[in-house]
Amino acid sequence: MKQSKFKQEFKQGWESLKHKLSTSCSKQGGYTLVSTAIVIVGLGFLTVVGAGVYDIYERQAKLIESDDNIQNIRLALQKHIDVHGKLPCPASMDAASNSAEFGASVGGAGGCASGAFSGVERVAGRNARDVLIGSIPTRSLNISDSLTVDGWGGRYLYAVTADYTGNDADFGSNEGAISVLDENGDSVTSSPGNAIYTLVAPGASQQGARSI
């Protein structure tokens, strides 16, 4: 009996509220500015929240894509070592994507221990040994050109100790000439400055990045 009375009172209250809203809208030609503003603010809040969630999702997807690319490049480099007994020279950063030079290792069959190459930097590494820096040699590695760039579209850098691109490369010594440091300036390799090669992704900041 009490439940039935409650339902009846609730129904009467609801009908009264609808009547007042209807009367208000009729008199003012629609919803009030306040009610409209509340709806707009609510939609705006949902939009902001949705955009924030999407940004996080998109960033995570690009990080995963970048990591997957690096893993595929590393596997291709290891296969190159297994087959040829040496690492490939970098590809030119200046080669157009529709050219035969794009993604192709610079230098001849003997590697790139000496000489100057367009689009590839030669710098001094540990103990004044040469290090070459350029683009991923995708075509020499027989991998997709899409692996040239990270998730944000910036080109990876491939740095390699020049000694390991020649036919007399000695991987048993495991003594490269590249230093890899973390954000605190500490070496991330077991022996500072002994990395044989390294891959660098511009990442989200894209500082200094070059596109294809």
Side-chain angles (χ1 to χ4, degrees):
M1 188 71 176
K2 288 183 179 180
Q3 186 177 6
S4 176
K5 183 178 180 181
F6 172 78
K7 287 183 178 180
Q8 184 178 4
E9 290 177 349
F10 177 81
K11 184 177 180 180
Q12 290 175 348
W14 173 241
E15 291 297 331
S16 175
L17 178 60
K18 287 198 297 181
H19 175 71
K20 289 180 181 179
L21 287 173
S22 176
T23 302
S24 175
C25 291
S26 298
K27 289 181 179 180
Q28 299 183 34
Y31 290 109
T32 64
L33 289 175
V34 173
S35 61
T36 302
I38 291 173
V39 172
I40 292 174
V41 169
L43 291 175
F45 175 75
L46 291 175
T47 301
V48 170
V49 171
V53 171
Y54 178 76
D55 286 345
I56 294 172
Y57 168 79
E58 186 177 36
R59 178 184 175 86
Q60 187 65 23
K62 289 178 177 179
L63 283 171
I64 292 173
E65 179 183 352
S66 299
D67 288 344
D68 287 346
N69 288 351
I70 286 180
Q71 292 304 317
N72 287 326
I73 295 168
R74 288 182 59 201
L75 289 173
L77 288 169
Q78 185 58 54
K79 182 178 180 180
H80 192 280
I81 294 172
D82 294 341
V83 173
H84 302 285
K86 60 183 179 180
L87 282 164
C89 299
S92 173
M93 294 288 288
D94 297 336
S97 59
N98 59 353
S99 69
E101 292 76 24
F102 183 86
S105 297
V106 299
C112 44
S114 62
F117 307 98
S118 175
V120 173
E121 293 289 329
R122 183 182 296 274
V123 299
R126 185 173 62 89
N127 295 334
R129 293 163 65 198
D130 284 353
V131 173
L132 295 166
I133 305 172
S135 186
I136 306 297
T138 52
R139 296 180 187 178
S140 297
L141 292 171
N142 295 315
I143 56 177
S144 172
D145 286 341
S146 64
L147 297 180
T148 302
V149 297
D150 66 8
W152 285 266
R155 295 176 75 165
Y156 292 105
L157 290 180
Y158 166 53
V160 59
T161 305
D163 299 347
Y164 288 87
T165 65
N167 295 324
D168 56 349
D170 179 14
F171 288 92
S173 65
N174 197 30
E175 285 294 325
I178 302 172
S179 296
V180 183
L181 309 178
D182 62 18
E183 64 273 14
N184 298 316
D186 298 322
S187 176
V188 300
T189 56
S190 56
S191 297
N194 75 336
I196 295 174
Y197 78 86
T198 189
L199 302 169
V200 180
S205 70
Q206 290 293 289
Q207 292 183 356
R210 293 178 60 178
S211 58
I212 295 178

